[in-house]
């Protein structure tokens, strides 16, 4: 047996060389990943290039009719146009033709608030998307994904095979009525700012109304729910979950100035009173424990009185209300980000319990907020630490806190509002909220997942190469 240093050096050099090649390969791949999602302009249209092909993003200039190509050439390479999400000049498109190659999308399809879109056409060879009467559907997921805003007609019946109304599908439509047929899911912003709708009938099939589905529908005066629906119900035209423990949506078109929440309610849902722009007073019963995000956003409440049962006030809950006073009666109440932002008339805040967790900007009130505000509490509360510094807070001690969290008898402290908990309902009169990913990449692994798989494979190969070199070295030593 003879050991030669030259053999050892050769084997080591081979191993090092192999590792260097692998490292260079990894660095090259990383460099290509950094260059992914490149925005380009080809043929007067915007695209985003990535490893899967090209995403169509809209025309460079305002135009009427748009036909999306199946392929584009850029930098000497050919890219398949496989996806669509229009965020350039979408408001100028009147007709849109989608090729067979597009099988992915993001919703809402047109990111702009309003558009002049009249109709959509789809190549009949497309395996996922289809169009009927100018309306875009995803046949793979049984979804209606885009109803053109300028399509003629005041009413529409959703086809019986459709189970999902997609994100922003009817946004800004002028429709006055929609028959939901056999719909199961109504996605976020599905009817965003459909101001022409006056009433909504929820069929027995609906199981999920995603938060914000009817936000901005300022003409709706009532919701009705099929008696066979196991998930939702309505009471005096207001939409609730089945056991009325959560208020889902108050009809924004109601002309009443006040409303009493039923004492069965535990949760005021996301955006429940958002854009209820006639409500100046809402009685919150002692059963409520949570006030959801955007719950009273832009409702013109003149006073906010939060009972001692409430433990959570989520972000933007009272944003842009018109309250001059806020009374928080509970202990350890958690208050979310910008919960009282833009409450320009606020002059007095009453904390009648111990202070809970406050977001760093819970009382940030914006540039038009009050110059000064008085905080009344049994405890020293420094709200300046939870604001944007534009409002001067002064503190007034209201005495010794009670041993039990009871409502105060001090005449200087506001009592619970004197409101009939069961008033006669008003007769409704005629009427006068990131980008949300869609369903285009269903089932596909994310870029991070692919990167982890790729790197694991590379290091496995490196390990095998090193082991192989060591085996060769061991055999040479034995010889």
């Amino acid at each position: 047996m003879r050991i030669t240093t030259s053999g050892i050096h050769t084997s080591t050099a081979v191993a090092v060389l192999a590792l260097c090649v692998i490292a260079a390969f990894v660095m090259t791949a990383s460099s290509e990943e950094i260059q992914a999602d490149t925005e380009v302009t080809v043929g007067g249209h915007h695209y985003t290039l990535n490893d899967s092909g090209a995403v169509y993003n809209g025309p460079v200039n305002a135009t009427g009719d748009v036909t999306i190509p199946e392929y584009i050439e850029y930098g000497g390479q050919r890219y398949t146009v496989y996806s669509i999400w229009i965020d350039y000049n979408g408001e100028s498109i009147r007709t849109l033709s989608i090729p067979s190659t597009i099988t992915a999308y993001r919703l809402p399809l047109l990111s702009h608030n309003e558009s002049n879109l009249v109709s959509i056409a789809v190549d009949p060879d497309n395996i996922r998307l289809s169009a009927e009467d100018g309306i875009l559907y995803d046949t793979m997921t049984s979804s209606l994904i885009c109803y053109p805003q300028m399509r003629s007609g005041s009413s529409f019946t959703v086809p019986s095979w459709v189970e999902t109304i997609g994100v922003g599908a009817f946004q800004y439509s002028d429709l006055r009525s929609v028959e939901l047929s056999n719909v199961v899911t109504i996605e976020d912003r599905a009817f965003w700012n459909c101001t022409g709708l006056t009433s909504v009938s929820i069929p027995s099939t609906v199981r999920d109304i995603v938060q914000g589905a009817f936000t901005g529908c300022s003409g709706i005066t009532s919701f009705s729910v099929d008696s066979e629906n196991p998930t939702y119900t309505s009471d005096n035209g207001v939409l609730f979950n089945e056991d009325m423990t959560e208020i889902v949506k108050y009809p924004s078109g109601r002309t009443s100035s006040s409303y009493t929440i039923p004492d069965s309610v535990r949760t005021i849902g996301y955006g429940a009173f958002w854009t209820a722009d006639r409500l100046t007073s809402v009685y919150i019963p002692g059963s409520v424990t949570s006030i959801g995000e955007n719950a009273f956003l832009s409702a013109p409440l003149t006073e906010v009185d939060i009972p001692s049962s409430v433990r959570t006030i989520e972000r933007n809950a009272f944003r842009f209300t018109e309250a001059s006073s806020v009374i928080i009666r509970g202990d350890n109440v958690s208050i979310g980000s910008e919960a009282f932002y833009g409450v320009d008339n606020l002059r007095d805040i009453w904390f009648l319990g111990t202070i809970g967790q406050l977001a760093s900007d819970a009382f940030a009130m914006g540039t038009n907020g009050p110059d000064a505000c008085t905080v009344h509490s049994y405890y020293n509360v420094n709200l300046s630490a939870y604001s944007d510094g534009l409002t001067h807070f002064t503190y007034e001690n209201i005495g010794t806190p009670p041993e039990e969290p009871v409502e105060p008898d001090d005449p200087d402290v506001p009592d619970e509002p004197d409101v009939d908990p069961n008033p006669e309902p008003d007769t409704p009169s005629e009427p006068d909220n990131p980008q949300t990913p869609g369903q285009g990449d269903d089932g596909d692994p994310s870029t991070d997942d692919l990167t982890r798989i790729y790197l694991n494979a590379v290091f496995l190969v490196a390990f095998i190469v090193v082991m192989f070199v060591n085996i060769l070295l061991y055999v040479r030593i034995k010889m």
Side-chain angles (χ1 to χ4, degrees):
M1 181 185 71
R2 184 177 63 178
I3 301 175
T4 61
T5 57
S6 62
I8 296 174
H9 290 324
T10 300
S11 300
T12 302
V14 170
V16 171
L17 179 61
L19 290 173
C20 288
V21 170
I22 292 170
F25 186 69
V26 171
M27 291 177 65
T28 301
S30 299
S31 175
E32 290 177 353
E33 180 181 340
I34 292 173
Q35 296 173 4
D37 293 335
T38 302
E39 294 187 6
V40 301
T41 300
V42 177
H45 294 269
H46 294 280
Y47 298 88
T48 300
L49 306 182
N50 55 43
D51 293 337
S52 299
V55 179
Y56 180 76
N57 298 133
V60 173
N61 299 311
T63 185
D65 303 323
V66 169
T67 299
I68 303 173
E70 293 185 343
Y71 306 95
I72 61 169
E73 301 281 343
Y74 184 81
Q77 296 188 47
R78 192 186 199 198
Y79 294 87
T80 300
V81 182
Y82 77 99
S83 184
I84 180 173
W85 184 63
I86 300 175
D87 59 346
Y88 287 97
N89 291 310
E91 71 280 0
S92 70
I93 301 174
R94 282 184 47 80
T95 65
L96 179 66
S97 297
I98 298 175
S100 62
T101 54
I102 289 184
T103 56
Y105 53 85
R106 298 187 67 180
L107 295 179
L109 196 67
L110 279 73
S111 65
H112 292 83
N113 291 341
E114 300 185 57
S115 78
N116 291 304
L117 188 63
V118 173
S119 68
I120 301 172
V122 179
D123 189 302
D125 292 331
N126 193 302
I127 62 173
R128 180 169 189 172
L129 303 179
S130 66
E132 182 179 335
D133 295 330
I135 302 163
L136 184 63
Y137 299 91
D138 182 337
T139 53
M140 189 177 294
T141 61
S142 302
S143 302
L144 188 160
I145 57 178
C146 186
Y147 182 95
Q149 292 178 24
M150 299 303 292
R151 185 177 182 273
S152 61
S154 61
S155 63
F156 176 71
T157 298
V158 177
S160 59
W161 59 270
V162 171
E163 296 181 355
T164 300
I165 305 297
V167 174
F170 287 91
Q171 64 177 10
Y172 288 94
S173 166
D174 289 331
L175 285 171
R176 295 186 62 81
S177 66
V178 176
E179 178 78 31
L180 294 175
S181 304
N182 297 317
V183 168
V184 176
T185 301
I186 304 174
E187 292 283 9
D188 177 29
R189 291 173 287 162
F191 294 93
W192 178 272
N193 278 327
C194 290
T195 56
L197 291 178
T198 57
S199 64
V200 175
S201 297
I202 307 297
S204 61
T205 53
V206 172
R207 297 293 181 272
D208 189 14
I209 301 175
V210 180
Q211 59 187 27
F214 294 99
T215 297
C217 296
S218 58
I220 294 178
T221 58
S222 68
F223 291 92
S224 63
V225 180
D226 190 289
S227 60
E228 299 297 320
N229 191 301
T231 309
Y232 297 97
T233 189
S234 63
D235 180 65
N236 293 325
V238 181
L239 185 62
F240 296 86
N241 66 343
E242 189 273 335
D243 59 2
M244 291 186 63
T245 57
E246 177 180 353
I247 181 168
V248 177
K249 187 63 180 171
Y250 177 90
S252 298
R254 295 273 285 267
T255 58
S256 301
S257 62
S258 64
Y259 177 70
T260 296
I261 297 174
D263 58 12
S264 61
V265 172
R266 305 287 181 269
T267 301
I268 300 174
Y270 174 99
F273 293 90
W274 189 353
T275 64
D277 57 10
R278 297 169 181 83
L279 278 179
T280 59
S281 174
V282 174
Y283 175 76
I284 303 174
S287 58
V288 172
T289 60
S290 176
I291 300 175
E293 182 177 344
N294 299 335
F296 293 94
L297 179 64
S298 297
L301 303 180
T302 57
E303 181 181 88
V304 173
D305 194 334
I306 301 168
S308 57
S309 56
V310 171
R311 292 291 174 266
T312 304
I313 301 171
E314 296 189 15
R315 70 185 298 267
N316 294 334
F318 295 95
R319 187 183 180 109
F320 296 133
T321 58
E322 298 178 8
S324 59
S325 68
V326 171
I327 306 168
I328 301 173
R329 299 179 180 273
D331 283 319
N332 297 314
V333 180
S334 172
I335 302 178
S337 174
E338 296 187 342
F340 296 94
Y341 184 89
V343 186
D344 299 346
N345 297 329
L346 189 57
R347 295 294 180 266
D348 294 279
I349 303 173
W350 298 80
F351 279 99
L352 304 184
T354 55
I355 309 304
Q357 182 177 358
L358 306 182
S360 61
D361 56 354
F363 287 91
M365 298 185 195
T367 56
N368 294 323
D371 295 329
C373 185
T374 302
V375 180
H376 312 265
S377 179
Y378 297 114
Y379 311 93
N380 188 14
V381 185
N382 179 20
L383 289 191
S384 296
Y386 305 97
S387 72
D388 48 19
L390 300 176
T391 299
H392 176 68
F393 292 95
T394 58
Y395 170 70
E396 179 188 37
N397 187 287
I398 57 176
T400 303
E403 294 182 3
E404 298 292 334
V406 297
E407 306 305 337
D409 294 327
D410 190 331
D412 293 330
V413 179
D415 295 326
E416 291 277 8
D418 184 16
V419 179
D420 181 3
N422 296 295
E424 289 295 323
D426 294 319
T427 301
S429 63
E430 288 299 314
D432 24 15
N433 297 127
Q435 177 185 70
T436 303
Q439 300 142 354
D441 297 321
D442 290 347
D444 293 339
S446 67
T447 302
D448 290 342
D449 292 335
L450 292 174
T451 301
R452 282 193 294 271
I453 294 170
Y454 175 77
L455 292 178
N456 287 337
V458 168
F459 285 116
L460 178 60
V461 171
F463 176 78
I464 292 172
V465 170
V466 172
M467 292 300 296
F468 180 75
V469 171
N470 285 332
I471 291 171
L472 289 178
L473 177 60
Y474 177 79
V475 171
R476 187 178 183 88
I477 290 174
K478 289 294 186 180
M479 295 175 57

